[in-house]
Amino acid sequence: MAEGDTVVRGSDPASDRQDFYGRIRTENMAPLWESLHLLVPPQPNSPVLPAKWDYDGVVRPFIMESGKLISAQEAERRVLMLENPGLGGRSAITQSLYAGLQMILPGEVAPAHRHTQSALRFIIEGQGAYTAINGEKAIMSPGDLVLTPSWNWHDHGNETDQPMVWLDGLDIPLVAFFDVGFAEAANAERQALARPPGDSDLRYGANMAPVDWKPQSKASPVFNYPYERTLEVLETLRRNGEPDPYHGYKMRYVNPASGGHVMPTMGAFIQRLEAGTTTAPYRSTDGTIYVVVEGTGLSKIGGVSFPWKPRDIIVAPSWAQQTHRADSDAVLFSFSDRPVQEAIGLWREERG
């Protein structure tokens, strides 16, 4: 207020406030005190809901039906998105992450393109199809993790006699939040191959690197993390130590060039749970998407129980308490936005 201004309150404060709110709204302003509890909550109160997608009983029939309705080339990417029921059709599985199930049929090619969104592929079904990333093929098998870092050319092809299905995880909502989405189609359906399959793993994933090589990206230079090797690591952990009470035997996929997460916006994890065990209550601020790789069991997330079996997909919202019970030896893959939260000092966890 200018010097000498005085505030005169009317006889009806509630009416005066509503009149005031209406007048400032016309000037694109709003009173913070009416929404402070929402903007600065005492703890996370995510609109994301715990949810499960039953792969064999529900999802797979729809995926196979989609193959009769549209080709991979027509669709560019034949994907059924997994939309969180709490996000009102926003094409997101959490506030910051997207997930979908992509299928490519025998003989099909999903045309080459690139985009600023980072992507990971976790292979659900099929054997031997490929993703080509920046001139190198990654041959895919169930349980493999395949990376497509930001702005890398990539196409998918299936030269086998069976359908191939994988989970796509992307940071689409996060990129949209920053308004930095770019995409470009290639001039050819398939990109030219410059290196044989497995070259990046041999070049960068054996505790060595070319003598003058320097990373050009914060993403891992290794594109393919085979499940066969992952299982060996989990079995070694099991033989040589006790499980963590909150996670069982859990590993983080790493960027061999930095020791950090495989991508700057998404982290990927794998854990083994022994039959008959239940993890202790745990929660963290990164909303997490789980894929059951092996075994059966039940997860309780935010008070909701989800029985699971191989290839089912479950989402745990930020700060929702979770426990996992394994009825048989089980392996769970997961991914989340933990790298971003850690980078800006926001990530938290609570054990017990």
Side-chain angles (χ1 to χ4, degrees), residues 149-341:
S150 173
W151 210 240
N152 278 215
W153 291 108
H154 56 283
D155 58 86
H156 313 296
N158 188 349
E159 298 167 347
T160 77
D161 60 357
Q162 58 187 319
M164 197 85 184
V165 180
W166 60 85
L167 177 76
D168 284 330
L170 287 89
D171 53 7
I172 289 174
L174 191 63
V175 171
F177 174 80
F178 288 112
D179 288 329
V180 290
F182 294 88
E184 182 180 356
N187 293 326
E189 187 176 62
R190 305 172 193 245
Q191 60 183 290
L193 298 179
R195 298 176 301 279
D199 180 89
S200 64
D201 186 36
L202 293 171
R203 195 179 296 256
Y204 306 110
N207 297 316
M208 293 184 290
V211 62
D212 292 322
W213 176 77
K214 290 185 173 53
Q216 301 299 308
S217 164
K218 293 183 179 180
S220 172
V222 174
F223 301 131
N224 190 8
Y225 294 73
Y227 185 55
E228 182 179 6
R229 186 181 304 170
T230 301
L231 278 181
E232 291 177 3
V233 173
L234 292 174
E235 176 59 21
T236 299
L237 284 180
R238 188 195 68 79
R239 287 198 310 265
N240 296 298
E242 293 298 315
D244 181 276
Y246 302 94
H247 301 303
Y249 300 99
K250 188 169 184 177
M251 297 290 284
R252 170 172 58 89
Y253 293 88
V254 299
N255 175 348
S258 67
H261 291 283
V262 289
M263 290 183 174
T265 54
M266 292 185 291
F269 312 88
I270 195 89
Q271 66 195 104
R272 173 172 173 157
L273 305 174
E274 298 291 280
T277 63
T278 299
T279 59
Y282 175 84
R283 61 181 177 176
S284 61
T285 52
D286 52 323
T288 302
I289 298 91
Y290 291 94
V291 181
V292 181
V293 191
E294 297 184 29
T296 58
L298 181 142
S299 294
K300 190 172 183 179
I301 299 171
V304 184
S305 294
F306 299 105
W308 42 258
K309 61 188 183 308
R311 306 194 290 195
D312 287 350
I313 299 164
I314 301 169
V315 59
S318 169
W319 214 237
Q321 190 176 80
Q322 52 187 286
T323 60
H324 306 285
R325 186 192 78 209
D327 297 330
S328 61
D329 289 348
V331 177
L332 305 179
F333 168 82
S334 60
F335 73 99
S336 77
D337 65 0
R338 179 171 170 175
V340 179
Q341 295 192 25

Side-chain angles (χ1 to χ4, degrees), residues 5-24:
D5 285 354
T6 59
V7 175
V8 179
R9 303 188 191 280
S11 58
D12 185 355
S15 178
D16 289 346
R17 284 183 186 178
Q18 293 307 313
D19 174 70
F20 174 71
Y21 295 164
R23 286 184 286 118
I24 66 173

